[in-house]
Amino acid sequence: MSSSHEIPTARIVLSPDRERRVDPGHLWVYAGHVREVKGEPGPGDLVDLYTAAGRFYGRGFFNPHSKIRVRILTFQDEPIDEGFWAARLEEAVRLRERVVSGTNAYRIVHGESDLLPGLIVDRYGELLVMQTLAFGMDRCKDILADLLRSRTGAQGVFLRNDAKSRALEGLSLEQRFLRGEGPTTVEVYEGDARFLVDVERGQKTGWFCDQRENRSATASLARDLEVLDVFCHTGAFGLQAALHGARSVLGLDVSRDALVLAREHAVLNKVEQICAYQEADAFEELPKLERTGHRYDLVVLDPPAFARRKQAVTPALAGYKEINLRALRLVRSQGFLVSCSCSHYVGEQDLWRTVLAAARDARRRVRLIENRSQSRDHPVLASMSETRYLKCLIMQVL
């Protein structure tokens, strides 16, 4: 950031179509909704937005390289300075202090949901992991890091700016300590469970904080049950089940590296006698398990996103149907199926209809126990459906 107080460099006039078709609180302005650019703003420059009728609309970061031409920071005519950033971060941290408990691994800043578009910050113990996914926010990363350290007392800030979406913004990829230094593997806890988070090589920022409360809700059902944890990654769902009294846990994942860490987690939590892991493609392995005749009391499906683009929804739904069909055939009567989707483009009703279609084909009846979403440290901004992406259906299979 060149100075503590940025001055808008241009005026962007919005098309009347945007006002008619887009929620007024939505923070993205797509290229197709820009009627005119008055000035020559560069990537990451601050610009003012005006309606076609000439009324001030908002202020945000411009990027000519991105389909999202402007990311709105505020709908007020206010300075974007150190005080602005400090106030926004204070609101985000205060919310987590109220809604998060029993863990030292949680999201502090959830991008647009915290009115900080393009900024993700997760806390793992004394280390903050930051992603700046938009050009303007990337220019502010130093002041943001200093403010976050001051407010949270964290010792270090590690940049996980290796997301492919940065390339679409015209940004380079990088991973490094922005503030502080030290090990990049951190031990974290969720309730009684202990896990190792590799912030340099792990998925996303190193851990799936968004599933924390779903893991707890699932584990509450697990006492005395045989559990099959499909797409188990480093084993978090199954390990929580084991710590809550599961009789046995079998974790399946295609990643050998993830399973190495899952086995370490089992030892760390003293449940290695209960938990077993197998390197396998779920789509191939579930039919094999079905043919053996063995059945499980609780099956967890937590696959990666099958639809990363809108055009991928149709094949993604076919994949979700197939995996749920196979899982339903493996659940004992009165057992449980936990089915998740982290694909934003697959909505809650899409997933529910897909599970019902799979249940019909499997000749099983299901009843919904809970319809869950992401953990409370990943809030949803009402004006942006994009901020609600995680679905978790907890069902009993009859």
Side-chain angles (χ1 to χ4, degrees):
M1 194 167 181
S2 56
S3 69
S4 61
H5 183 177
E6 286 216 356
I7 307 299
T9 62
R11 286 191 175 201
I12 307 297
V13 181
L14 300 174
S15 68
D17 184 56
R18 185 185 191 275
E19 292 184 78
R20 287 194 301 268
R21 300 182 60 181
V22 179
D23 190 302
H26 202 287
L27 302 183
W28 294 348
V29 177
Y30 286 99
H33 287 145
V34 173
R35 181 176 179 176
E36 185 182 359
V37 178
K38 296 182 177 181
E40 297 182 1
D45 282 355
L46 198 66
V47 296
D48 281 344
L49 298 160
Y50 283 81
T51 67
R55 177 177 56 83
F56 176 84
Y57 186 85
R59 184 165 289 158
F61 286 133
F62 182 81
N63 191 346
H65 303 308
S66 174
K67 288 182 180 178
I68 304 173
R69 201 52 51 95
V70 182
R71 295 173 193 260
I72 300 173
L73 296 169
T74 178
F75 294 97
Q76 307 299 319
D77 184 0
E78 61 180 319
I80 308 301
D81 55 14
E82 185 172 333
F84 173 88
W85 298 119
R88 283 285 163 87
L89 293 173
E90 174 66 24
E91 290 173 7
V93 173
R94 264 209 317 267
L95 174 64
R96 276 55 179 199
E97 289 173 344
R98 186 166 294 276
V99 304
V100 175
S101 62
T103 184
N104 65 344
Y106 54 93
R107 180 150 293 183
I108 288 181
V109 178
H110 189 46
E112 283 71 5
S113 291
D114 286 298
L115 308 181
L116 289 164
L119 179 66
I120 299 294
V121 184
D122 287 337
R123 179 167 197 162
Y124 302 116
E126 296 307 310
L127 183 62
L128 302 179
V129 182
M130 178 190 291
Q131 291 182 315
T132 48
L133 304 175
F135 211 109
M137 203 60 77
D138 192 70
R139 281 171 50 172
C140 300
K141 60 181 178 285
D142 287 298
I143 193 170
L144 294 169
D146 290 337
L147 289 168
L148 282 164
R149 280 185 83 187
S150 175
R151 177 58 177 83
T152 65
Q155 295 173 3
V157 179
F158 189 82
L159 283 178
R160 267 303 293 268
N161 278 339
D162 55 340
K164 292 178 182 177
S165 60
R166 277 176 60 91
L168 302 175
E169 289 281 310
L171 291 164
S172 61
L173 307 186
E174 61 174 348
Q175 291 174 250
R176 62 183 174 90
F177 273 98
L178 182 62
R179 295 290 185 271
E181 58 184 15
T184 53
T185 297
V186 183
E187 183 174 320
V188 301
Y189 64 88
E190 290 182 6
D192 294 332
R194 300 292 183 272
F195 300 101
L196 299 172
V197 174
D198 184 341
V199 303
E200 187 173 13
R201 289 178 290 272
Q203 295 284 330
K204 297 173 81 172
T205 65
W207 189 243
F208 294 96
C209 297
D210 53 2
Q211 286 279 31
R212 179 181 60 255
E213 293 166 20
N214 296 331
R215 290 191 281 265
S216 178
T218 300
S220 70
L221 303 171
R223 181 168 297 281
D224 298 325
L225 302 187
E226 285 189 76
V227 177
L228 178 64
D229 186 5
V230 188
F231 306 101
C232 71
H233 193 49
T234 59
F237 266 101
L239 282 157
Q240 287 284 19
L243 288 169
H244 282 74
R247 192 160 71 249
S248 68
V249 175
L250 174 60
L252 305 178
D253 202 275
V254 74
S255 169
R256 184 171 299 176
D257 291 341
L259 293 179
V260 168
L261 197 48
R263 293 185 181 99
E264 287 186 36
H265 286 158
V267 172
L268 184 63
N269 288 281
K270 298 180 172 60
V271 291
E272 67 269 26
Q273 301 304 314
I274 298 170
C275 297
Y277 299 96
Q278 184 178 335
E279 184 182 343
D281 182 303
F283 288 94
E284 297 173 1
E285 190 62 26
L286 295 194
K288 293 179 185 177
L289 289 174
E290 184 187 341
R291 288 194 292 272
T292 68
H294 193 83
R295 299 294 180 262
Y296 297 86
D297 305 298
L298 170 59
V299 177
V300 179
L301 298 176
D302 183 22
F306 288 169
R308 298 188 185 279
R309 295 176 299 114
K310 199 169 187 177
Q311 297 88 333
V313 167
T314 298
L317 290 175
Y320 285 119
K321 182 182 177 185
E322 173 69 13
I323 207 70
N324 278 277
L325 172 66
R326 296 297 180 181
L328 283 160
R329 289 175 173 169
L330 288 170
V331 182
R332 292 188 178 108
S333 180
Q334 309 299 311
F336 300 94
L337 172 64
V338 178
S339 184
C340 304
S341 167
C342 60
S343 301
H344 157 66
Y345 293 107
V346 174
E348 291 175 62
Q349 287 303 311
D350 295 325
L351 182 62
W352 180 235
R353 282 193 294 265
T354 299
V355 170
L356 292 182
R360 281 194 297 271
D361 288 358
R363 297 184 179 178
R364 304 298 299 273
R365 290 181 297 156
V366 297
R367 54 186 174 200
L368 186 65
I369 306 299
E370 283 190 88
N371 181 3
R372 303 181 59 87
S373 185
Q374 60 241 36
S375 299
R376 294 193 293 174
D377 50 335
H378 293 63
V380 175
L381 186 63
S383 57
M384 290 193 69
S385 62
E386 295 88 346
T387 59
R388 184 181 179 100
Y389 62 94
L390 183 60
K391 283 75 60 179
C392 176
L393 305 175
I394 300 180
M395 299 161 281
Q396 188 174 39
V397 182
L398 306 178

